[in-house]
Amino acid sequence: MSDVSDVSDVSVSAPDPLARERDHLASSRAALRAMREDVEALDITNVTANWVNSVVLGRQIEERIKALADLSHTPLFFGRLDYLHTTQEGQRFYIGRRHVHDAVGDPMVIDWRAPVSQPYYQASKKDPQDVGLRRRFGYTGGELTAYEDEHLSDPDELEQTSRLLQAEIERPRVGPMRDIVATIQPEQDGIVRSGLSGTVCVQGGPGTGKTAVGLHRVAYLLYAHRERLARTGTLVVGPNRSFLHYIEQVLPALGELEVKQATVDDLVGQVEVRGTDEAATAVVKGDARMAEVLRRAVRSHIALPKEPLMVVRGSRRWRVPAYELEEIVRELMDRDIRYGAAREALPQRIAHAVLVRMEQAGEAPDDRVQNTVARNTAVKAVVKECWPPVEPEKLVLRLLGDPEFLAEHADGLLTEDEQKLLLWAKPARSVKTAKWSAADAVLIDEARDLVERTHSLGHVVLDEAQDLSPMQYRAVGRRCTTGSATILGDLAQGTTPWATASWAEALGHLGKPEAVVEELTAGFRVPREVIAYASRLLPHMSPGLAAVESVRENPGSLAVRRTEADALDADVVAACVESLAHEGSIGLIAADARIAPLAEALTAAGLAHLSPGEETTAESRLTLVPATLAKGLEYDYVVLDEPAAVVDGEPDERTGLRRLYVALTRAVSGLTIVHAAPLPLQLES
């Protein structure tokens, strides 16, 4: 490997190659500007048939212009492939974040998702895939400053770790999460390029890149199946708004602007959430058995007809006996279709029975007559009596407020104690006055799906999936019943009382039991010293789960400092000041109960700080992070306040240890632990 780390090295050893690469970069930027200008110059005044087409086309052009933006801080290309033989003989491809072509249509930069780009990620000395040379580029502030060559077909060249790849991984983090397109590893690339038809579950410990892999898989699928996903839609589901804000720039940086983002609460947000549940109550509400309780409650509204139907049309009367009406109702019940769909079908079925009698009497009714009969007052009365409308909110309101109604439909499913946990101490008087909890909203969403089928998307990415309840899995699964999904998570980071015990269980609730489970064990973010320290907790909270093997050596990245209780705040502030002497972002993570006093201490010391979700800048790099919001976030340097308080802030020890494990693994370059109370014993093992 020819390793060139900076401009001075290159200018001495190989000035011409670097100059040529810089020229290609400048030419590529000029070509991208020309592509954008061509789109901006399009005149669609006389090419659309109507104003609707004009609006749609205009919107598509606007999106295309946005996608062709040249981001000055984002290099157009990060690699190069020189092929040896076969169909690619003599060809050279620059690999970048998007496709760029010159005035005659010849490619200057190849999209990283194109098939010809795959060897950039997959080729090796053992399997060169006909690649003679793989070149990586290094950038500083958007300027090309270095390159590094691998001669994959040269048996005499030793395989070495890429210094530029390592530098890119360790580059200081300021602002939102960035893409990893330049550093995707072979095992990650295999997941990214997996097909649209299958669901993939990625188990990955801290720093293995599972979130980035999921987002890049969306970008790849949109490239490979754009027309299909443009029709069916894509969605990224994250654990909270802070997390979504952190990742929201990854896909736009890759030219993908149409992917929606939401939390589970957003998906089921049909009622205003104003209440909270005790943990035991939330666990029962989130249990999969509640789906059957709701199904029983919905179907309990169906009643078999007791009286015959008499339809009057002009001078004729048409009678349908009760037993025949009962057969129609039972047939719809046996089909087990959505309650609302069956209710819409019932009047048509009854009307058809009337038309049969008309035909038997010699009349020749058509579809218009059947529709008229279906709207007949007598038919409507039968439908209202046998299959009345069900409002999901009112149904759940009754279940949570009426002990007898709940007992009837929870019989054999929930114990008496579990039913007592569900019942409100003071039943709400109406849907609007009810203090719904987040778990109640999920129940309402389930009930709504029993009445009317939920719209399904083409692909859904679910991140931090280990924390969802079975009913939440069902809510997400409803959004991709006819599509596929990418499930991302780490069982060791499950910090809710209802966190899943296994991916097989979770995927079953999601409705994707056939999903392939992939495991990422190579860590690229957290230094080896830090992840090894955090992994001491694994046997006590997630026995049997493999520890992450970090590929990054960073001696001195971990510091554990004992202090006195009355000096704790001052020493934490001092650790933050020390961390701020380094480049990049700083995260001060603490138990939720410690956030207020630490905020006061930072302010008193003149240290401005952000809240999670607020974007860091070069001038404002310190974020004060409650431990409950730390999951999925990363910072160059982390100061962790009082680990014992993080554990004690949770309802049980296992959840507390998992919360601490999350907090310990947010650092990219260095972790400083400051504590006055004794450390949890599990960290000493």
Side-chain angles (χ1 to χ4, degrees), residues 148-168:
E148 194 176 63
D149 287 344
E150 293 175 85
H151 299 88
L152 298 180
S153 300
D154 182 355
D156 297 326
E157 183 179 280
L158 297 177
E159 191 166 10
Q160 301 177 24
T161 301
S162 167
R163 287 170 56 189
L164 290 182
L165 187 66
Q166 190 82 357
E168 173 63 21

Side-chain angles (χ1 to χ4, degrees), residues 85-161:
H85 310 100
T86 67
T87 57
Q88 311 296 345
E89 183 175 358
Q91 290 197 347
R92 173 180 295 173
F93 296 102
Y94 287 83
I95 313 302
R97 287 167 173 77
R98 66 194 66 191
H99 175 83
V100 179
H101 60 255
D102 61 18
V104 296
D106 291 333
M108 301 189 70
V109 180
I110 300 292
D111 194 301
W112 66 276
R113 297 166 288 187
V116 74
S117 300
Q118 190 167 5
Y120 183 78
Y121 303 105
Q122 294 287 347
S124 65
K125 284 281 188 179
K126 293 181 180 179
D127 180 22
Q129 300 185 26
D130 201 45
V131 174
L133 179 142
R134 173 168 55 200
R135 176 168 288 180
R136 301 181 190 276
F137 296 105
Y139 288 83
T140 302
E143 294 297 319
L144 198 163
T145 55
Y147 72 88
E148 194 176 63
D149 287 344
E150 293 175 85
H151 299 88
L152 298 180
S153 300
D154 182 355
D156 297 326
E157 183 179 280
L158 297 177
E159 191 166 10
Q160 301 177 24
T161 301

Side-chain angles (χ1 to χ4, degrees), residues 562-580:
R562 180 72 184 264
T563 186
E564 299 300 322
D566 57 359
L568 179 60
D569 290 358
D571 286 348
V572 168
V573 170
C576 290
V577 172
E578 184 181 319
S579 297
L580 284 166

Side-chain angles (χ1 to χ4, degrees), residues 179-384:
D179 66 73
I180 63 162
V181 66
T183 62
I184 293 174
Q185 300 300 296
E187 63 272 22
Q188 297 173 326
D189 187 65
I191 298 171
V192 167
R193 296 178 192 267
S194 54
L196 177 61
S197 59
T199 290
V200 178
C201 175
V202 182
Q203 158 65 36
T208 55
K210 56 185 178 295
T211 295
V213 166
L215 295 175
H216 286 66
R217 187 181 182 214
V218 171
Y220 172 77
L221 292 175
L222 285 167
Y223 175 87
H225 307 278
R226 188 166 302 280
E227 290 188 7
R228 178 176 172 183
L229 289 177
R231 294 193 306 271
T232 56
T234 51
L235 173 69
V236 174
V237 181
N240 52 59
R241 279 281 147 203
S242 297
F243 177 83
L244 291 178
H245 183 75
Y246 177 62
I247 69 171
E248 67 183 358
Q249 294 303 318
V250 173
L251 290 169
L254 299 174
E256 301 300 343
L257 307 170
E258 294 300 313
V259 180
K260 295 181 180 179
Q261 297 183 348
T263 65
V264 174
D265 291 344
D266 293 333
L267 296 183
V268 301
Q270 300 297 318
V271 293
E272 182 182 0
V273 173
R274 297 186 296 145
T276 56
D277 290 317
E278 295 293 332
T281 298
V283 168
V284 178
K285 288 181 178 179
D287 194 289
R289 292 172 293 168
M290 289 302 300
E292 177 60 19
V293 173
L294 289 164
R295 193 191 72 85
R296 291 180 182 180
V298 168
R299 292 177 68 85
S300 71
H301 292 77
I302 303 171
L304 297 176
K306 304 297 184 184
E307 302 292 334
L309 166 69
M310 189 68 70
V311 175
V312 179
R313 279 183 56 80
S315 60
R316 302 295 299 272
R317 294 172 179 269
W318 307 99
R319 183 178 183 275
V320 181
Y323 75 85
E324 188 171 344
L325 293 174
E326 182 178 333
E327 289 177 357
I328 294 172
V329 172
R330 287 190 181 278
E331 180 191 356
L332 288 172
M333 291 174 63
D334 291 342
R335 289 185 59 191
D336 201 27
I337 60 177
R338 294 297 193 278
Y339 185 93
R343 188 172 189 276
E344 291 178 1
L346 181 56
Q348 290 290 337
R349 298 295 180 87
I350 295 173
H352 178 72
V354 173
L355 260 65
V356 169
R357 284 160 173 74
M358 291 180 178
E359 291 170 348
Q360 291 171 344
E363 295 190 13
D366 56 18
D367 290 345
R368 290 174 298 177
V369 175
Q370 179 169 324
N371 290 333
T372 301
V373 173
R375 295 192 297 268
N376 182 274
T377 303
V379 174
K380 287 183 177 180
V382 172
V383 173
K384 184 176 181 180

Side-chain angles (χ1 to χ4, degrees), residues 553-616:
E553 286 281 7
N554 196 0
S557 57
L558 174 66
V560 182
R561 300 173 182 173
R562 180 72 184 264
T563 186
E564 299 300 322
D566 57 359
L568 179 60
D569 290 358
D571 286 348
V572 168
V573 170
C576 290
V577 172
E578 184 181 319
S579 297
L580 284 166
H582 300 284
E583 279 190 276
S585 58
I586 315 298
L588 169 55
I589 303 177
D592 291 28
R594 288 276 296 150
I595 293 299
L598 286 175
E600 292 181 6
L602 291 173
T603 301
L607 289 183
H609 59 277
L610 306 169
S611 298
E614 294 183 306
E615 189 170 319
T616 57

Side-chain angles (χ1 to χ4, degrees), residues 418-431:
E418 287 173 326
Q419 292 177 39
K420 289 178 182 177
L421 287 172
L422 291 180
L423 291 167
W424 283 329
K426 184 179 180 181
R429 301 177 68 177
S430 69
V431 169

